[in-house]
């Protein structure tokens, strides 16, 4: 699997916010086996107190995927992306343009506009979007090579609220890397996403807020591997009626 021509070793992308301590974050990253971690520019404070956090991220050896979390306009998202590229030294950017304060649903109109601007300026954009196929088409036309549909509102832990739409998205974009982003709460949610044919899962709160973040990170990694294996094994179709697994031929007959 590749994102923008870069080989990816793990299908689990892990966020870095809300952990009880930097040490617990580092332990969770290690347990997850993730090769990509996301970080918000807002974690790097102007007074330099974020230096220790940044040093800890570098020590994980993971590739950094900066994000524009908390941005509510195109201008804010584009400016934040430029600052992140200067700070983290990567053209990768997880693009968020939030349109609704309660659900944190993406503003898909602003998202497409910002994606086009950033792609033209040399960024490799990972857009946090909905499952809408038309929006997905517009993002690809804007220069994106990856789509990140949400599973449920950020931090809600609701799992996949619309699996049928995600399944349709997989069928409509067979060659486009799809990463379920937001809403994953349990390992079973992550496994379900992978069984639908998603290429990867990005999650944060489910691990950071678990009683044992490192153990939950390991469980998520195992679930993602199992889900992907199940998808590749071509599972049986659901049936409306029962079908006996034992052959009728050879059963005893009583006169």
């Amino acid at each position: 699997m590749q994102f923008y021509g870069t080989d990816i070793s793990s299908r689990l992308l892990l966020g870095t916010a809300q952990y009880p301590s930097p040490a617990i974050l580092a332990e969770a990253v290690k347990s997850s086996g993730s090769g990509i971690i996301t970080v918000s520019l807002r974690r790097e404070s102007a007074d330099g107190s974020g230096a220790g956090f940044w040093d800890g991220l570098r020590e994980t050896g993971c590739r950094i995927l900066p994000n524009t979390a908390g941005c509510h306009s195109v201008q804010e998202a584009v400016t934040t992306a430029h600052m992140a590229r200067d700070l983290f030294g990567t053209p990768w950017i997880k693009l968020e343009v939030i349109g609704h304060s309660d659900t944190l649903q993406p503003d898909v109109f602003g998202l497409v506009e910002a994606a086009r601007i950033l792609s033209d300026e040399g960024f490799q954009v990972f857009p946090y979007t909905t499952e809408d196929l038309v929006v997905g088409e517009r993002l690809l036309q804007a220069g994106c090579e990856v789509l990140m549909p949400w599973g449920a509102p950020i931090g809600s832990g609701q799992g996949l609220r619309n699996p049928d739409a995600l399944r349709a998205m997989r069928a409509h974009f067979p060659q486009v890397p799809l990463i379920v982003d937001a809403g994953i709460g349990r390992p079973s949610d992550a496994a379900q996403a992978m069984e639908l044919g998603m290429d990867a899962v990005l999650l944060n709160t489910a691990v950071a807020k678990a009683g044992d973040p490192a153990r939950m990170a390991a469980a998520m990694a195992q679930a993602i591997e199992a889900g992907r294996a199940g998808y590749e094994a071509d599972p049986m179709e659901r049936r409306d009626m029962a079908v006996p697994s034992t052959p009728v031929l050879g059963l005893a007959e009583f006169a």
Side-chain angles (χ1 to χ4, degrees):
M1 184 179 61
Q2 291 186 337
F3 298 150
Y4 288 102
T6 299
D7 291 334
I8 305 303
S9 60
S10 170
R11 295 180 185 271
L12 172 58
L13 287 68
L14 198 64
T16 57
Q18 305 184 64
Y19 286 84
S21 71
I24 292 176
L25 166 59
E27 185 180 5
V29 172
K30 181 179 180 180
S31 296
S32 73
S34 178
I36 300 173
I37 54 178
T38 66
V39 60
S40 170
L41 183 69
R42 298 168 191 269
R43 295 298 301 272
E44 293 293 322
S45 59
D47 62 6
S49 61
F53 173 73
W54 176 221
D55 290 340
L57 294 182
R58 285 187 290 194
E59 289 173 2
T60 66
C62 295
R63 178 156 186 154
I64 303 296
L65 174 59
N67 65 49
T68 62
C71 293
H72 290 259
S73 69
V74 172
Q75 182 178 1
E76 187 180 11
V78 169
T79 300
T80 301
H82 278 277
M83 295 171 65
R85 182 166 64 177
D86 291 343
L87 178 61
F88 298 111
T90 176
W92 280 17
I93 190 71
K94 180 194 169 190
L95 180 61
E96 298 182 27
V97 182
I98 301 302
H100 193 275
S101 297
D102 291 334
T103 64
L104 302 182
Q105 179 171 329
D107 171 0
V108 295
F109 305 101
L111 180 68
V112 171
E113 182 181 350
R116 181 175 292 107
I117 292 170
L118 292 173
S119 295
D120 289 344
E121 293 176 345
F123 284 86
Q124 296 173 339
V125 180
F126 293 69
Y128 165 61
T129 183
T130 64
E131 321 94 322
D132 190 286
L133 300 182
V134 176
V135 175
E137 292 280 8
R138 296 292 185 271
L139 288 168
L140 296 177
Q141 292 168 8
C144 299
E145 297 181 12
V146 176
L147 298 175
M148 302 183 74
W150 66 343
I154 293 172
S156 68
Q158 295 178 14
L160 306 185
R161 290 175 51 173
N162 197 346
D164 288 338
L166 291 173
R167 186 181 291 109
M169 200 172 196
R170 175 72 291 166
H172 190 72
F173 301 111
Q175 304 301 322
V176 178
L178 300 180
I179 306 171
V180 167
D181 177 20
I184 299 296
R186 291 168 174 76
S188 56
D189 301 331
Q192 183 187 16
M194 300 306 293
E195 287 174 352
L196 292 174
M198 301 296 105
D199 294 287
V201 169
L202 193 160
L203 55 88
N204 186 165
T205 310
V207 169
K209 292 300 185 180
D212 187 338
R215 191 170 186 181
M216 181 59 76
M220 289 292 186
Q222 293 165 6
I224 287 170
E225 289 294 328
R228 181 65 187 183
Y231 172 74
E232 292 177 342
D234 191 14
M236 63 175 284
E237 296 294 329
R238 292 177 181 266
R239 297 165 174 169
D240 293 330
M241 300 292 292
V243 178
S245 57
T246 302
V248 177
L249 184 66
L251 287 178
E253 294 186 10
F254 299 93

